[in-house]
Amino acid sequence: MKPHYDIPNDLGAIKDRDILEGYSSDPLHVAMPDALVRPQSVEEVSRILSYCHSHGIPVTPCGNQTSLTAAAIADHGILMSSEKLESGWRIHEDPEQPGRWLAYVGAAANLAAFQDSIAAQGFFYPPDPTSREEILVGATVATNASGEDSFKYGSTRRWVRGLQYVRPDGEIRRVMRYADEKGSAHKNTCGYPFRESEVDLLIGCEGTLGVITEVIVEVLPFVPEFVSMFVFFENEGHALWAVGQMAERSSGELRCCEYMDRAALDILVQGADGFQCPETAEAALYLKLEFAGDCQGVLETWLDHLEGIFDHLQSAHLLDAVQAFTDAPAQRMLRHWRHLIPATINERAAQYRDYGGGKVGTDWYVPLNRLTEMFTRVRDDQDGADWVVFGHIGNGHPHFNFIAKDLREYQRDRELLFKHCQLAVELGGGVSGEHGLGKKKSQLLAMQYSERDIQEMVAIKRKYDPQHIMAPGNIFPDSLFK
Ligand SMILES: Cc1cc2nc3c(=O)[nH]c(=O)nc-3n(C[C@H](O)[C@H](O)[C@H](O)COP(=O)(O)OP(=O)(O)OC[C@H]3O[C@@H](n4cnc5c(N)ncnc54)[C@H](O)[C@@H]3O)c2cc1C
């Protein structure tokens, strides 16, 4: 039975069902909290958490609830939205390292608004989730978000230098780390990192260690120009082989290398105005290539690379199908097209919810040199599953998005997801590269980490949150805290 909590109204708690309904779903799941709070200041967050800590009331923080793992919804306790917290930003030169620049950003800032506004001032903040127009900066840190440009720029962890957050007992803390402590470009959103830095622990903690109220991120004092390209292939194997070639041939200019299978291309053919694709293409890569001043130079170099690749694949005719886009409006359109793929899948899957179906999305990653083996083994096991494959192939991190039409298919697809994650770990990768575990994938933690590692993470969680009030169910199965 659902536990009952006395949540006093003077915490600012909203219990009106109509309002709660509006906060009771992410794109794939539904859960109704007992109450909603929308604090407007760090002091208010502190007051609420302090009360909940003393009274054992669960609190799940959320941003704009685009999480795909039920991490940002709660079926009991308080849902704490960060939407009304500070949403502004300011940029200063790093006093410790002249020539480097830091942005102080309120947790409620919209990521795209922040990025576009500082770009107009000549600054660049690289993390680039496809959902950037919908999400809050505090949440991108809580999820260690990454996106299409992670091939060159890594995930959010790499850019965070500090943050202000409120601990579960209400203590307000401001913590920093130095640039040389920055996390690597490596993608991993499974559990806590084994690092001492408090900043690192908060990054990707999925709301389990506190509420982030401000982030301090490094921004670059220039906005790189780039050319975007669509490159089509006769089949998946050709495209995967080409990824390795491109990674080898890039001297730093390859910023994004995204994969689309035929089903993903069909979504674009049907929904993206102006998208053109050879009928025989079974796969495509979407690339971004940076240049400084000489667009023609990078284009010529990469057309040479592609010629070599297509010669090897005996598909010289596909060189003529390569599409290059240089102007900003066209590149914005490509971003929109890229976003259309997961957004369409989420919509399609949602219509099967009432039948017990829905989307099952993989988020595993493997080293680049194991990609072909991984794809082959996953395909061998398809078992009639209906899926669309797209995503961050340059990081060894494609998404296989299953669409299950009913409960039977959903259960089969969940089993396949678990098998694939196990395989990814065996091949030297991990179970989650960017979406985290949330509540829907918390069983995967034990696939990637040993019992001892998990006990270490649980000890950290207990140290920060002895009452276990923060985001219960996220990352850790509840059984670990009984
Ligand atoms: C169509 C689509 C495409 C997507 N593409 C990408 C992608 O390319 N890359 C990627 O990484 N993700 C992607 N996502 C997932 C999602 O957008 C990201 O995880 C994003 O960072 C979540 O932001 P949000 O504001 O919606 O946060 P929410 O979903 O509300 O919250 C996410 C998590 O952060 C915690 N949280 C939120 N705010 C705070 C806070 N202030 N303090 C502490 N914890 C907090 C929540 O408890 C939850 O665990 C995609 C989602 C969709 C629907």
Side-chain angles (χ1 to χ4, degrees), residues 27 60-68 71-72 82 107 128-131 134-136 138-140 142-147 206-207 210-213 339 342-343 346 392 434-435 471 474:
T60 299
C62 73
N64 205 24
Q65 297 186 298
T66 64
S67 159
L68 299 165
S82 40
D128 195 24
T130 54
S131 48
E134 296 152 44
I135 64 185
L136 307 191
T140 65
T143 53
N144 188 22
S146 53
E206 302 191 38
V211 175
I212 297 167
T213 48
H339 183 62
N346 291 346
H392 323 295
E434 67 181 15
H435 296 158
N474 283 2

Side-chain angles (χ1 to χ4, degrees), residues 21-33:
E21 289 259 340
Y23 291 80
S24 65
S25 59
D26 68 16
L28 303 172
H29 316 96
V30 179
M32 182 76 110

Side-chain angles (χ1 to χ4, degrees), residues 106-173:
N110 169 275
L111 177 64
F114 162 61
Q115 287 177 319
D116 294 350
S117 154
I118 67 167
Q121 296 171 260
F123 290 100
F124 177 49
Y125 178 59
D128 195 24
T130 54
S131 48
R132 72 191 267 274
E133 290 181 9
E134 296 152 44
I135 64 185
L136 307 191
V137 169
T140 65
V141 173
T143 53
N144 188 22
S146 53
E148 60 185 44
D149 291 347
S150 307
F151 180 78
K152 176 162 182 167
Y153 292 109
S155 59
T156 297
R157 185 180 299 284
R158 184 155 156 195
W159 302 94
V160 178
R161 292 280 297 282
L163 39 89
Q164 182 191 59
Y165 78 103
V166 185
R167 279 178 89 132
D169 64 2
E171 182 190 347
I172 300 170
R173 288 180 64 78

